[in-house]
Each structure stands twice: as C-alpha cells, then as structure tokens.
Amino acid sequence: MTDPRSRTDGRVSSWVKVQTFLLAGVLVLLAVLVIVVGMTARRVEKSLVLVQEDLEGLKIDQVNEAIESLSKAAERMAEVDISRLNETAKSLKDAAESLADVDVETLNGAIASLRDAANTLKNLDIEALNGVIQAIDKTVTGLENAVNTLKGLFG
C-alpha cells in the first residue's frame, strides 16, 4: 500500500476520466453543431432556389422594351413646340431617368406621371401626336407588367 505507483495511478486515472468526459462533451457539441449547420445549409439552398426561380421569371426584355418605348416617346415629345407638351416631355424624361433605379415606389410614380401625360395628350386631339399617345399607353402597360413582376419577386 505504500507503493508510490498505486497512488499515482489512482490520481492519473481520475484525471484521465475527467478528460475523457470533457472530450466526449466536446464531441457531442461538435456533432450538434454539424447537424445545425447542415440544416441551415439546406434552408439556405431552398431559399436560393426560390430566389433563382423568381429571377428567371422576371422578364428583363419587357423592362428594356418599356424603357426604349419611353425614350422614343420622349424624343418625339421634345420635337413639339407647345409649352404644355414641353411640360409633359419633361415629366416623361424624369420618369425615364427614375426607371434606372428600378425602385417599386419610383416605378409607381413614373406610371402615374405617364398616365397624366397620356391624359393631357388625349385632350389636345392633334393627329400628329396619336402615335406618341399609343407609345405611351404601350409603355404604361409594359411598366405595369414590370412592376407586377417586381412585386412578385420582392413580396
């Protein structure tokens, strides 16, 4: 009983047991962490798939076509030298510049400006402006489609 090895072995084995339990605890925590990270990665992957589907549904061609039609209408309006029409052309130009930001609120404001401009042009009843009015109506329809698509994308 007075053997020095027996006392040391008792103390070492108790420390080994404590270290083993701590190591087992660390391994359990590591396993839980791996499971949580795996579940989070699956959720992120599902979210990315949904976002990709929404982006594929967005019709950039419609937005570009609407911008091009709006630019053409603004050019035609600039050629007419009537003060009322010049104000309309300015609002169309502002609307075209605001489309570059592709902000939903800005798009709604641009659509309202285009409708006001179309109503103003319809009241003038000039044959030369009928083509411009049709281009503006086509642009408003394209913008509404683009806004609806963006609303679907961002909720």
Side-chain angles (χ1 to χ4, degrees), residues 110-127:
I111 290 170
S113 297
L114 288 173
R115 284 188 179 151
D116 291 343
N119 289 334
T120 301
L121 290 174
K122 286 179 183 177
N123 291 336
L124 290 176
D125 195 25
I126 297 174
E127 290 182 18

Side-chain angles (χ1 to χ4, degrees), residues 9-83:
D9 288 342
R11 288 184 187 163
V12 169
S13 65
S14 65
W15 281 110
V16 169
K17 288 179 184 179
V18 170
Q19 288 177 348
T20 303
F21 287 127
L22 289 175
L23 183 60
V26 168
L27 289 176
V28 168
L29 287 176
L30 183 62
V32 169
L33 179 65
V34 167
I35 291 170
V36 169
V37 167
M39 290 172 41
T40 303
R42 285 184 188 165
R43 287 185 197 147
V44 168
E45 183 179 355
K46 287 179 183 178
S47 297
L48 288 175
V49 168
L50 290 175
V51 168
Q52 182 180 2
E53 290 173 0
D54 287 343
L55 286 175
E56 288 172 357
L58 181 63
K59 297 178 182 173
I60 298 296
D61 293 338
Q62 284 183 342
V63 174
N64 289 337
E65 183 180 316
I67 291 172
E68 184 178 332
S69 297
L70 185 60
S71 297
K72 288 179 182 178
E75 289 173 5
R76 287 183 186 174
M77 293 297 295
E79 293 174 0
V80 178
D81 193 23
I82 298 174
S83 63

Side-chain angles (χ1 to χ4, degrees), residues 127-145:
E127 290 182 18
L129 298 176
N130 285 337
V132 175
I133 292 170
Q134 291 173 355
I136 289 172
D137 286 337
K138 182 179 176 183
T139 302
V140 168
T141 303
L143 287 173
E144 286 176 341
N145 290 337

